[in-house]
Amino acid sequence: KAALNQATRTMAHELKRQSIWCIALHPGTTDTDLSKPFQKNVAEGRLFPVEFTVESLLKVINAMDDENSGGLYDWAGKAIPF
């Protein structure tokens, strides 16, 4: 995870010259085959259907601006410090 976070920051810095943003997104726990082994540990109301996750991440992306480039954001658009 640390390498991904640093790569996001580095790419954001390098791509800024071309007016390209780079952000990392945390979708939350989404109801997919990949998350099946972990779903029993997910709190009530925190296992998201795929459609909800996709819609949420698209809203986050559409709300981004220059100053968000290089950051990590959750499915609700909240910045996650790293």
Side-chain angles (χ1 to χ4, degrees), residues 38-59:
F38 311 103
Q39 290 181 5
K40 64 182 176 200
N41 299 320
V42 177
E44 183 76 25
R46 301 298 288 184
L47 179 63
F48 304 130
V50 171
E51 296 80 12
F52 173 83
T53 300
V54 171
E55 288 174 14
S56 296
L57 293 179
L58 287 173
K59 286 179 187 176

